[in-house]
């Protein structure tokens, strides 16, 4: 499906971001347009994928793949697959997610997931996940993940986030034993499949604050499905703000964390307004997906089993 913004990308960011693109993401301004067009051509050739093909959307997949066409193909296929195929994702995490829906607005007002204002010294965006804030009910995981992906869909519109990545802060203050049964191995594997293989995010660190001892048992499950790279980016601060400050500057944190960014509820309300303002991004993405009945049969499939991939340079990915 063509869009009016195919072939219209113009670089508007600072020189430092351009340097990061070249040094870390293998992005060459002289070749950028041709890479976008190559990926666009591949997407349009896939009978099972219905996808956006505008420059800004495709570029985020090339960046997280360090401009490996093969890897970008895998991620964009996975991005739509997890939204539609129960065996490979959780479609429930991506349905009934219109920011205009009163239930979604209630979840936004709770502040389950929200980004902090500003950026750290490396231009990274900090995102807070208050893991135990929602009551432990059968809807708990779905609500948590729904808000996570609404947040990421909107944040990924910003090229600075695509380029410099995210610092993730998991606040487990309200997390308890009652939440544990919902983290089955199948659910955990799908959470990490979404995070590591289906979303075009550069996750630079995972910080766990106010962690109860029962987190140790949960992390045993998570580590089974985490890549080695992601495991090396885990930091456990327990109840120590001083430890947290070594990874997240107090200048970015709400006053409830001893920071200078003002009351957390003000940050939550500002983010809620931003989500509603960007409602079209969420609604637009809900129109696309995959049809497994049309997926090509691959004679020598890779481990993912997702789609027909081209033969392009393959690079190490974070």
């Amino acid at each position: 499906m063509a869009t009016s913004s195919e072939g219209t990308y113009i670089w508007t960011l600072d020189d430092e971001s351009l340097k990061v693109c070249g040094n870390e993401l293998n992005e060459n301004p002289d070749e950028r347009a041709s890479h976008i067009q190559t990926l666009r051509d591949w997407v349009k050739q896939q009978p099972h994928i219905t996808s956006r093909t505008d420059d800004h959307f495709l570029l985020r997949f090339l960046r997280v793949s360090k401009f490996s066409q093969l890897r970008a193909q895998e991620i964009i296929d996975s991005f739509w697959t997890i939204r539609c195929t129960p065996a490979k994702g959780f479609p429930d995490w991506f349905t009934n997610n219109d920011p205009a829906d009163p239930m979604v607005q209630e979840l936004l007002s709770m502040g389950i997931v929200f980004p902090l204002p500003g950026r750290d010294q490396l231009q990274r965006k900090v995102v807070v996940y208050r893991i135990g804030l929602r009551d432990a009910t059968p809807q708990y995981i779905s609500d948590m993940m729904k808000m996570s992906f609404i947040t990421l869909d909107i944040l990924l519109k910003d090229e600075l986030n695509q380029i410099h990545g995210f610092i993730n802060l998991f606040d487990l203050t309200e997390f308890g034993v009652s939440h544990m049964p919902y983290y089955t191995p199948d659910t955990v594997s799908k959470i990490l499949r979404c995070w590591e293989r289906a979303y075009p995010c550069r996750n630079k660190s995972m910080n766990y604050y106010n962690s109860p001892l029962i987190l140790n048992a949960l992390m045993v499950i998570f580590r089974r499905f985490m890549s080695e790279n992601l495991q090396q980016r885990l930091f456990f601060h327990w109840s120590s703000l001083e430890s947290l400050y070594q990874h997240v500057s107090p200048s970015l944190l709400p006053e409830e964390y001893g920071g200078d960014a003002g009351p957390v509820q003000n940050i939550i309300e500002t983010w809620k307004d931003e989500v509603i303002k960007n409602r079209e991004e969420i609604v637009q993405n809900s129109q696309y997906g995959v049809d497994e009945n049309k997926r090509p049969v691959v004679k020598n499939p890779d481990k993912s089993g997702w789609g027909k991939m081209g033969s392009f340079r393959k690079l190490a990915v974070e």
Side-chain angles (χ1 to χ4, degrees), residues 79 82-83 90 92-94 97 113 129 141-156 190-196 198-199 201 271 281-282 285:
F79 180 85
I82 60 172
R83 296 166 178 260
F90 259 114
D92 187 47
W93 297 348
F94 302 94
N97 61 353
V113 183
Y129 298 80
I141 291 287
S142 179
D143 287 346
M144 182 76 203
M145 301 311 297
K146 190 187 302 287
M147 301 315 298
S148 297
F149 294 123
I150 287 175
T151 299
L152 290 176
D153 278 346
I154 293 173
L155 290 177
L156 285 168
K190 289 179 178 177
I191 290 173
L192 288 170
R193 179 179 295 169
C194 293
W195 268 64
E196 290 205 77
Y199 254 75
C201 298
W271 177 243
E281 183 75 11
I282 307 303
N285 284 346

Side-chain angles (χ1 to χ4, degrees), residues 160-174:
L160 288 176
N161 294 332
Q162 298 171 21
I163 294 166
H164 298 285
F166 297 101
I167 301 297
N168 300 297
L169 170 54
F170 298 94
D171 183 348
L172 291 103
T173 301
E174 306 295 332

Side-chain angles (χ1 to χ4, degrees), residues 3-110:
T3 70
S4 59
S5 50
E6 290 186 2
T8 61
Y9 177 81
I10 298 175
W11 176 268
T12 60
L13 302 181
D14 58 279
D15 290 342
E16 184 60 33
S17 295
L18 184 61
K19 186 183 299 184
V20 171
C21 281
N23 294 341
E24 298 183 19
L25 306 181
N26 298 312
E27 182 168 342
N28 183 335
D30 296 331
E31 300 176 355
R32 184 190 294 120
S34 64
H35 277 290
I36 293 172
Q37 187 59 48
T38 297
L39 183 57
R40 179 182 296 121
D41 291 343
W42 179 86
V43 169
K44 291 182 176 181
Q45 292 168 7
Q46 305 311 303
H48 65 297
I49 299 176
T50 305
S51 174
R52 292 169 54 183
T53 54
D54 56 278
D55 289 10
H56 283 83
F57 180 75
L58 296 177
L59 188 52
R60 66 193 66 172
F61 293 92
L62 287 166
R63 283 175 169 152
V64 78
S65 305
K66 299 185 178 179
F67 278 76
S68 162
Q69 287 284 342
L70 177 59
R71 181 61 177 152
Q73 292 167 15
E74 292 172 346
I75 296 176
I76 200 168
D77 192 346
S78 302
F79 180 85
W80 296 120
T81 297
I82 60 172
R83 296 166 178 260
C84 304
T85 309
K88 299 174 181 176
F90 259 114
D92 187 47
W93 297 348
F94 302 94
T95 56
N96 301 319
N97 61 353
D98 186 338
D101 186 294
M103 184 189 71
V104 174
Q105 293 200 14
E106 178 184 346
L107 295 173
L108 287 168
S109 295
M110 289 180 65

Side-chain angles (χ1 to χ4, degrees), residues 114-119 125-128 169 248 252-254 261 264 267:
F114 57 92
L116 297 180
R119 298 179 180 277
K125 175 64 73 173
V126 180
V127 184
V128 177
L169 170 54
V248 182
L252 299 175
L253 289 165
V264 69
I267 297 172

Side-chain angles (χ1 to χ4, degrees), residues 70 74 296-309:
L70 177 59
E74 292 172 346
V297 177
V298 183
K299 291 183 179 179
N300 297 302
D302 69 347
K303 292 181 181 178
S304 71
W306 290 347
K308 179 176 64 176
M309 308 302 175

Side-chain angles (χ1 to χ4, degrees), residues 166-261:
F166 297 101
I167 301 297
N168 300 297
L169 170 54
F170 298 94
D171 183 348
L172 291 103
T173 301
E174 306 295 332
F175 187 84
V177 175
S178 61
H179 294 96
M180 289 284 289
Y182 297 102
Y183 289 92
T184 65
D186 180 64
T187 297
V188 169
S189 71
K190 289 179 178 177
I191 290 173
L192 288 170
R193 179 179 295 169
C194 293
W195 268 64
E196 290 205 77
R197 294 175 57 189
Y199 254 75
C201 298
R202 303 188 71 200
N203 292 304
K204 308 304 290 184
S205 72
M206 317 279 280
N207 298 270
Y208 297 85
Y209 172 67
N210 250 355
S211 311
L213 289 176
I214 56 172
L215 181 66
N216 292 332
L218 183 59
M219 291 309 298
V220 170
I221 302 175
F222 269 86
R223 287 179 186 274
R224 286 171 51 191
F225 302 101
M226 279 184 181
S227 68
E228 183 177 343
N229 277 349
L230 191 58
Q231 291 192 45
Q232 292 174 352
R233 297 176 182 185
L234 303 179
F235 299 96
F236 299 92
H237 306 292
W238 306 109
S239 60
S240 172
L241 283 172
E242 291 304 318
S243 175
L244 177 62
Y245 294 162
Q246 294 178 31
H247 295 264
V248 182
S249 170
S251 65
L252 299 175
L253 289 165
E255 60 186 32
E256 288 82 354
Y257 297 80
D260 305 319

